[in-house]
Amino acid sequence: MAKKDKILIVGLGLIGGSYAQGLSAKGFDVSAIDTNLDSIQYAMEQGWIMQGSTVDDPELIHEANLIISGLYPTTMVKWIKENQQFFQSHALITDVSGVKTGIVKEVQENLRNDVEFIGAHPMAGKEVSGVRYADAKIFEGANFIITPTEKNTEEAIERVRQLAVDLNFKTISLLTIEEHDRMIGFVSQLTHTIAVSLMNTNDNHDLKKYTGDSFRDLTRIANINETIWSELFLLNKDNLVKEMDEFIQTMEYLKKVIEQDEVEELKYLLIQSTTRRHYFDE
Amino acid sequence: MAKKDKILIVGLGLIGGSYAQGLSAKGFDVSAIDTNLDSIQYAMEQGWIMQGSTVDDPELIHEANLIISGLYPTTMVKWIKENQQFFQSHALITDVSGVKTGIVKEVQENLRNDVEFIGAHPMAGKEVSGVRYADAKIFEGANFIITPTEKNTEEAIERVRQLAVDLNFKTISLLTIEEHDRMIGFVSQLTHTIAVSLMNTNDNHDLKKYTGDSFRDLTRIANINETIWSELFLLNKDNLVKEMDEFIQTMEYLKKVIEQDEVEELKYLLIQSTTRRHYFDE
């Protein structure tokens, strides 16, 4: 990104706000649109944005040559359709959505020919939401995925890569939208459905005083924003349901092995688990 | 415990070794039996034990008025049967086993009338084993459960409670052996079978570079000692299989809700998960 870039962030939540903080600290001219006046005022007070609006101000939109959507996926698709008339020619639009199939193509197929949309996924977050929790430090050491399609240019890929560098992401990767959604179905969504299912199994809060770090670590992500995660799960339904099926089958098998006292097979499964877990050691 | 107590630890692993360290630091006369010479020598060098033996030395056993088994559950049952002839009259025997049904009664029913066995479970550990990883600090702030039966005396309960105090445990509770095993089936064993099943679902280590803290936290306990955990799972089979069944049913239901795009029910499940998880906040 050249320093002359004018960046517009649409949707000043936890991630949009953290982008605003990180990019303004690097000297970029950042503005924002968010329907919540308090969010705009807070970001102004913090010095994260130069201008802000609670409505889709055509002039503010037109001034930006880089537009970053911090909106929920389905809201973003709608916003771009309604506001692309105001985009300046050659503007680049990118996003922060946790799913890509069904979003990226939908946007690209309906986009004006003189602007470009490229999907991106900053793999960072917190178990809270809203601009008041924004903190650009969450990006340090985190992964950033760019999901170009055949509609994207090398220039756009490079520009978004530089955005990730400016935000201090550690590992920047390229994946197709299909690879991205398969990966996220396992690494993120399956683990969230597991934690949620564990909390929903029983109301066992009388057991609070016996829980240790293991239980707390495993269920930390059971504290979950129902609006964004229900969108993410449903948009990636095919991958997620397949992963859930495979996980349930594996757990059914472990249960059978325990029920039938198959000691050697049980030990084998525990050894395989330990071996595979070591791949993920830092 | 009176300081004149002579404590014998049988089985100098991670937990037995940590007991030896913590109790010797408090001024108790601690000795140990372990078949591994290196473990005995290491504990001697550290000043954690005054005497040690790699065999079941009748004299060393007889000198102790408090015997703590750090052995695996089934090994302990066998060891007590074979060595109770050497116990001094009025000796108190306790343990560190993670399951109680099937262990405590088996020991108590076969025990000499002039000695007493009382079950205890220090809820602390590490994902490694062996005396070289022993560290009495793991007990600080942890839970300690005493599982008395109708065969136990108030004096024995008090003595084991004092043992937990001397080792710096934070919360000391009494549970029946049945309550203990139901609790541990959910809080500890179910969570371990979940993490193990997740690692066994697929060999996905090509996804390493995309995993974040959530995945690592959830699967940390998938690094698991196959010998001790296969014993613990099988000894608590009835409780564990019931918990696994209920969890799988809950997850099947969540899957159905996602498959059928039931947005409102999905949001309800995510809200319930979040609400319940808050009970476990520290």
Side-chain angles (χ1 to χ4, degrees):
Chain A
M1 265 183 311
K3 293 274 170 177
K4 64 178 164 57
D5 275 350
K6 275 203 67 134
I7 301 175
L8 172 68
I9 296 173
V10 185
L12 263 189
L14 177 75
I15 301 297
S18 302
Y19 268 59
Q21 183 190 11
L23 295 171
S24 61
K26 285 279 163 86
F28 292 104
D29 178 346
V30 182
S31 58
I33 290 174
D34 193 288
T35 52
N36 187 334
L37 178 62
D38 180 66
S39 300
I40 295 291
Q41 283 178 336
Y42 179 80
M44 287 265 193
E45 284 161 22
Q46 300 293 318
W48 298 346
I49 58 173
M50 305 282 279
Q51 287 176 279
S53 174
T54 58
V55 295
D56 297 329
D57 179 349
E59 203 173 325
L60 201 58
I61 297 172
H62 190 74
E63 280 170 5
N65 54 352
L66 177 62
I67 298 176
I68 301 167
S69 163
L71 299 169
Y72 289 175
T74 53
T75 313
M76 172 184 77
V77 174
K78 189 162 164 284
W79 188 88
I80 291 178
K81 279 183 192 166
E82 288 172 0
N83 291 284
Q84 60 172 320
Q85 54 181 313
F86 309 127
F87 294 172
Q88 65 172 249
S89 201
H90 307 299
L92 181 66
I93 300 98
T94 185
D95 74 334
V96 302
S97 304
V99 288
K100 297 303 176 194
T101 327
I103 294 293
V104 174
K105 291 205 166 160
E106 170 83 3
V107 171
Q108 288 182 337
E109 282 165 10
N110 291 285
L111 200 63
R112 276 167 47 189
N113 283 328
D114 63 333
V115 297
E116 181 169 349
F117 175 87
I118 182 164
H121 181 192
M123 291 186 69
K126 289 188 189 181
E127 276 79 44
V128 286
S129 53
V131 72
R132 286 180 181 271
Y133 294 101
D135 181 0
K137 284 202 191 71
I138 61 176
F139 304 138
E140 287 173 19
N143 292 313
F144 189 92
I145 322 274
I146 306 169
T147 58
T149 69
E150 71 288 350
K151 300 229 179 192
N152 289 118
T153 59
E154 282 302 318
E155 189 201 349
I157 295 170
E158 188 44 45
R159 224 165 145 191
V160 175
R161 190 197 297 274
Q162 189 56 47
L163 176 73
V165 170
D166 286 329
L167 287 166
N168 296 320
F169 281 91
K170 186 181 169 194
T171 311
I172 302 163
S173 315
L174 299 189
L175 288 178
T176 66
I177 57 178
E178 292 80 14
E179 284 167 344
H180 173 276
D181 282 7
R182 188 188 75 83
M183 177 276 288
I184 216 72
F186 178 76
V187 163
S188 167
Q189 296 190 331
L190 175 62
T191 53
H192 280 79
T193 62
I194 287 171
V196 165
S197 297
L198 181 56
M199 292 319 295
N200 280 336
T201 298
N202 274 306
D203 187 356
N204 267 324
H205 73 270
D206 55 311
L207 299 181
K208 178 182 174 174
K209 67 176 169 179
Y210 307 112
T211 54
D213 290 344
S214 305
F215 183 84
R216 283 177 214 276
D217 280 356
L218 196 136
T219 58
R220 188 171 55 83
I221 55 175
N223 182 357
I224 190 168
N225 177 316
E226 73 277 8
T227 312
I228 180 67
W229 283 94
S230 57
E231 273 201 18
L232 294 174
F233 288 165
L234 295 177
L235 283 165
N236 201 27
K237 191 166 78 167
D238 293 347
N239 284 308
L240 177 56
V241 165
K242 182 173 158 290
E243 294 289 355
M244 290 175 84
D245 265 332
E246 288 179 6
F247 171 78
I248 290 170
Q249 279 170 32
T250 311
M251 190 137 177
E252 286 280 9
Y253 180 66
L254 177 61
K255 188 178 68 127
K256 183 189 81 84
V257 164
I258 291 170
E259 267 180 319
Q260 302 185 355
D261 284 307
E262 296 173 25
V263 185
E264 290 313 311
E265 180 65 6
L266 178 54
K267 283 186 184 174
Y268 168 78
L269 293 173
L270 300 183
I271 290 169
Q272 178 173 264
S273 166
T274 301
T275 307
R276 288 187 180 169
R277 182 58 181 80
H278 282 310
Y279 298 141
F280 292 91
D281 287 345
E282 270 141 315
Chain B
M1 264 180 313
K3 294 274 171 177
K4 66 180 164 53
D5 275 349
K6 276 203 69 132
I7 301 174
L8 172 68
I9 296 172
V10 185
L12 263 188
L14 176 74
I15 301 297
S18 301
Y19 268 59
Q21 182 190 11
L23 294 171
S24 62
K26 285 280 164 88
F28 293 103
D29 178 346
V30 182
S31 58
I33 291 174
D34 194 289
T35 52
N36 186 333
L37 178 61
D38 180 66
S39 299
I40 294 292
Q41 282 176 336
Y42 179 80
M44 285 266 192
E45 283 161 24
Q46 299 293 318
W48 296 347
I49 58 173
M50 306 283 278
Q51 286 177 278
S53 173
T54 57
V55 295
D56 297 329
D57 178 349
E59 204 174 326
L60 202 58
I61 298 172
H62 190 75
E63 281 170 4
N65 54 351
L66 177 62
I67 298 176
I68 301 167
S69 164
L71 299 169
Y72 289 175
T74 53
T75 314
M76 174 184 77
V77 175
K78 191 162 163 281
W79 188 88
I80 292 177
K81 279 183 191 165
E82 288 171 359
N83 291 283
Q84 60 171 318
Q85 56 182 309
F86 308 127
F87 293 172
Q88 63 172 249
S89 199
H90 307 299
L92 180 65
I93 300 99
T94 186
D95 75 333
V96 302
S97 303
V99 289
K100 296 304 177 194
T101 328
I103 294 292
V104 173
K105 290 205 167 161
E106 170 83 3
V107 169
Q108 288 182 335
E109 282 166 10
N110 290 284
L111 200 64
R112 276 167 45 188
N113 284 327
D114 62 333
V115 297
E116 182 169 348
F117 175 87
I118 182 164
H121 181 192
M123 291 187 69
K126 289 189 191 180
E127 276 78 45
V128 286
S129 53
V131 72
R132 285 179 182 272
Y133 294 101
D135 181 359
K137 284 201 192 71
I138 61 175
F139 303 138
E140 287 172 20
N143 292 314
F144 189 93
I145 323 272
I146 307 170
T147 58
T149 68
E150 70 289 349
K151 299 230 179 190
N152 289 118
T153 59
E154 283 302 319
E155 190 201 348
I157 295 170
E158 190 42 49
R159 226 166 142 188
V160 175
R161 189 196 297 273
Q162 189 55 49
L163 176 73
V165 170
D166 287 328
L167 286 166
N168 297 321
F169 281 90
K170 185 180 169 196
T171 311
I172 302 163
S173 315
L174 299 189
L175 288 177
T176 66
I177 58 178
E178 292 79 14
E179 285 167 344
H180 173 277
D181 283 7
R182 187 188 76 83
M183 176 276 288
I184 216 71
F186 177 76
V187 164
S188 168
Q189 297 191 331
L190 175 61
T191 53
H192 280 79
T193 62
I194 287 170
V196 164
S197 296
L198 181 55
M199 293 319 295
N200 280 336
T201 297
N202 275 305
D203 187 356
N204 268 324
H205 73 270
D206 54 312
L207 300 181
K208 177 182 174 172
K209 67 175 168 179
Y210 307 112
T211 54
D213 289 345
S214 305
F215 184 84
R216 283 177 214 275
D217 280 358
L218 196 135
T219 58
R220 188 170 55 82
I221 55 175
N223 181 359
I224 190 168
N225 176 316
E226 73 277 8
T227 312
I228 180 67
W229 283 94
S230 56
E231 274 201 18
L232 294 174
F233 288 165
L234 295 177
L235 282 166
N236 200 27
K237 191 165 78 167
D238 294 347
N239 283 307
L240 177 56
V241 165
K242 182 174 158 290
E243 295 289 354
M244 291 174 84
D245 265 334
E246 288 178 7
F247 170 78
I248 290 169
Q249 279 171 33
T250 311
M251 190 138 178
E252 287 280 11
Y253 180 66
L254 177 60
K255 187 178 69 125
K256 183 188 81 83
V257 165
I258 292 169
E259 265 180 320
Q260 303 186 354
D261 284 307
E262 297 173 26
V263 184
E264 290 313 310
E265 179 66 6
L266 177 53
K267 284 186 183 173
Y268 169 79
L269 292 174
L270 300 184
I271 290 168
Q272 178 173 265
S273 167
T274 301
T275 307
R276 287 189 181 168
R277 181 58 180 80
H278 282 311
Y279 298 142
F280 292 91
D281 286 346
E282 271 141 314

